[in-house]
Amino acid sequence: MFLTPVLVLFLAFKAYPVLYALYLSFTRNQGGATTWVGTENFSRLVGDPLFWTAVRNTVLILTIQVPIMLVIAVFLAVAFNSRLLKGRSIFRVAYFVPIVMGLIAYGILFSALLNTDEGFLNYVLTSIGLPRISWLGDPFWARMSIVMGLTWHYLGYNAVIYLAQLQSIPQELYEAASVDGASPWQKFWHVTVPGLRPSIVLTVVLSTIGTLQLFEEPYVLTNGGPDNATLTIGMYLYQNAFQYFDFGYASAIGYALTLLVVLVAVGQMLLLRRRS
């Protein structure tokens, strides 16, 4: 009885949309009427070059951004945990603030930073004698802009996760390493990194899942351009659903993305556990 309100909400806003999307993935809207087409949408997906462009862009951004962000997050967490750093609480809050920033403010901020003519980054480049960069107009730099935006947005979140794990590592391990004559780097590599392994597994999996579903950054900054260079699976799904109103095909893309996320996440977890 007590669970009934939650179950009703879950069925109405989670289970029903998921199941209805599955039904839609086997249909097509023709002349305002929904027609059953079987697996036609999935067959179309396999032969759609734009879908594979979106997959390639998504995987490329993932393989560059996630490792860079998590490596920086580890070193930030170590710095936040160090007694040598003054005002650690201020730095912790400052690095965590971006995760709570709204999408509109986030987009305005990075649009201003990356503007070709009046952006702050190009102002810095020209002030030291370097040429301007078309951050959002060049395919390569547009992808790098998405990588920078993602890293800035989620870096503090992952650093806080690592910081919590760091504080659970017994100090006796560091003291024993010091007695054995270990250098600071050896302590980091043989004590800190193994102690962070559970959090590393968690953040790798969560960051990978999040990046595979990437939508907000390309939508706000580049709208998938230039020349589809930042078109992601999430962006392509959105375009088909809410610009072309092809909900059947968009639902098929959604289920293809779900399958990809499950396969990658399970594969990562098995690989990382085996290495552990």
Side-chain angles (χ1 to χ4, degrees):
M1 183 181 67
F2 287 114
L3 287 175
T4 299
V6 177
L7 291 174
V8 169
L9 290 172
F10 173 78
L11 291 173
F13 294 103
K14 291 289 186 181
Y16 171 73
V18 169
L19 294 175
Y20 187 60
L22 179 62
Y23 163 74
L24 285 177
S25 68
F26 295 101
T27 65
R28 176 188 292 174
N29 192 306
Q30 295 177 319
T34 301
T35 307
W36 182 268
V37 293
T39 59
E40 183 180 310
N41 286 322
F42 294 96
S43 301
R44 175 184 167 192
L45 196 67
V46 173
D48 183 357
L50 204 52
F51 171 73
W52 293 109
T53 297
V55 172
R56 185 169 60 252
N57 289 338
T58 305
V59 172
L60 179 61
I61 292 171
L62 186 155
T63 53
I64 295 173
Q65 187 268 332
V66 170
I68 290 174
M69 176 183 68
L70 296 185
V71 168
I72 297 174
V74 168
F75 286 104
L76 271 181
V78 172
F80 292 161
N81 197 47
S82 173
R83 295 179 181 177
L84 299 176
L85 181 66
K86 303 299 182 183
R88 288 180 295 173
S89 299
I90 297 174
F91 283 103
R92 292 173 186 176
V93 172
Y95 275 93
F96 192 76
V97 164
I99 196 66
V100 299
M101 181 174 286
L103 178 61
I104 301 302
Y106 176 29
I108 292 172
L109 173 64
F110 268 81
S111 295
L113 285 173
L114 301 173
N115 185 277
T116 303
D117 298 320
E118 300 175 353
F120 178 74
L121 290 184
N122 277 341
Y123 170 77
V124 173
L125 291 176
T126 54
S127 66
I128 59 176
L130 295 175
R132 296 176 185 272
I133 293 175
S134 180
W135 293 102
L136 303 178
D138 178 82
F140 173 79
W141 290 112
R143 293 190 186 105
M144 293 306 102
S145 298
I146 299 296
V147 169
M148 287 191 293
L150 281 170
T151 302
W152 176 84
H153 199 195
Y154 295 103
L155 179 63
Y157 173 77
N158 290 285
V160 168
I161 293 176
Y162 291 149
L163 177 62
Q165 186 74 48
L166 271 176
Q167 292 175 343
S168 70
I169 299 176
Q171 287 300 311
E172 291 81 1
L173 296 177
Y174 292 101
E175 294 169 2
S178 297
V179 170
D180 290 338
S183 66
W185 173 253
Q186 289 173 323
K187 291 179 187 177
F188 172 78
W189 191 251
H190 296 289
V191 179
T192 303
V193 172
L196 286 175
R197 187 170 285 123
S199 293
I200 291 173
V201 172
L202 173 68
T203 53
V204 167
V205 172
L206 291 180
S207 299
T208 299
I209 292 172
T211 307
L212 286 174
Q213 300 177 80
L214 179 61
F215 170 74
E216 290 92 346
E217 283 76 10
Y219 176 74
V220 170
L221 295 177
T222 62
N223 200 30
D227 194 24
N228 296 319
T230 57
L231 179 68
T232 61
I233 304 173
M235 271 290 299
Y236 193 47
L237 187 156
Y238 170 83
Q239 289 176 353
N240 278 278
F242 301 109
Q243 292 180 5
Y244 313 139
F245 300 104
D246 192 349
F247 293 105
Y249 190 50
S251 298
I253 294 171
Y255 270 91
L257 175 58
T258 301
L259 179 62
L260 178 62
V261 167
V262 169
L263 290 176
V264 171
V266 170
Q268 281 185 327
M269 291 178 68
L270 291 176
L271 180 63
L272 293 170
R273 285 179 179 177
R274 187 173 300 170
R275 286 185 176 179
S276 298

